[in-house]
Amino acid sequence: MNATLVTIVMLVISNVFMTLAWYGHLRLGELGISKNWPLYGVILFSWLIALAEYSFQVPANRIGYVGNGGPFTLVQLKVLQEAITLIVFTLVATFMFQGQSLRWNHIVSFLLLIAAVYFAFLNTSK
């Protein structure tokens, strides 16, 4: 696989873990699983998930960074990461937290983010 595809796939996997680390404990609380856990227990649980996130995030950035022979500049990596984060978060929120819904302003904000990705990847050097 080429560096572009490897980077994107690893960023997607990383963001699934990140979203679960940041918001998964809320769903576990709703289900009664972690409702009575002390805060430090929830933090440790989230850190374990975040370790998996970093195991994909760091290599994705190293592989994808132009300074290491990858296809993306630092700014492009960050903008790509944020776009993937919103997509993954939206899917997780929609399926894990059934009461969440997308509204028109969310759609507009996502479209603006897509525009940000477009402009970050626009080659302006001539």
Side-chain angles (χ1 to χ4, degrees):
M1 268 198 283
N2 67 23
T4 300
L5 188 57
V6 169
T7 299
I8 291 171
V9 167
M10 290 182 83
L11 287 175
V12 169
I13 294 169
S14 165
N15 274 280
V16 169
F17 283 116
M18 179 188 72
T19 302
L20 293 175
W22 286 11
Y23 304 106
H25 63 90
L26 299 174
R27 181 66 177 141
L28 291 177
E30 285 180 352
L31 296 172
I33 296 169
S34 66
K35 188 172 187 153
N36 296 320
W37 290 7
L39 183 57
Y40 71 85
V42 174
I43 291 169
L44 288 174
F45 178 75
S46 293
W47 276 359
L48 287 174
I49 298 171
L51 177 62
E53 174 215 342
Y54 274 76
S55 296
F56 287 95
Q57 178 73 23
V58 171
N61 284 330
R62 289 182 66 92
I63 292 166
Y65 181 55
V66 70
N68 292 331
F72 303 115
T73 66
L74 188 62
V75 172
Q76 289 172 334
L77 275 171
K78 183 59 182 171
V79 173
L80 184 61
Q81 148 71 29
E82 293 301 328
I84 291 170
T85 296
L86 270 180
I87 292 167
V88 169
F89 173 79
T90 301
L91 293 173
V92 169
T94 301
F95 293 108
M96 282 183 61
F97 296 90
Q98 302 286 316
Q100 302 295 314
S101 61
L102 289 176
R103 296 186 175 88
W104 72 268
N105 56 319
H106 302 141
I107 303 299
V108 170
S109 67
F110 292 169
L111 291 173
L112 290 173
L113 186 62
I114 291 167
V117 172
Y118 170 78
F119 284 109
F121 282 81
L122 190 63
N123 185 359
T124 58
S125 63
K126 293 220 177 196

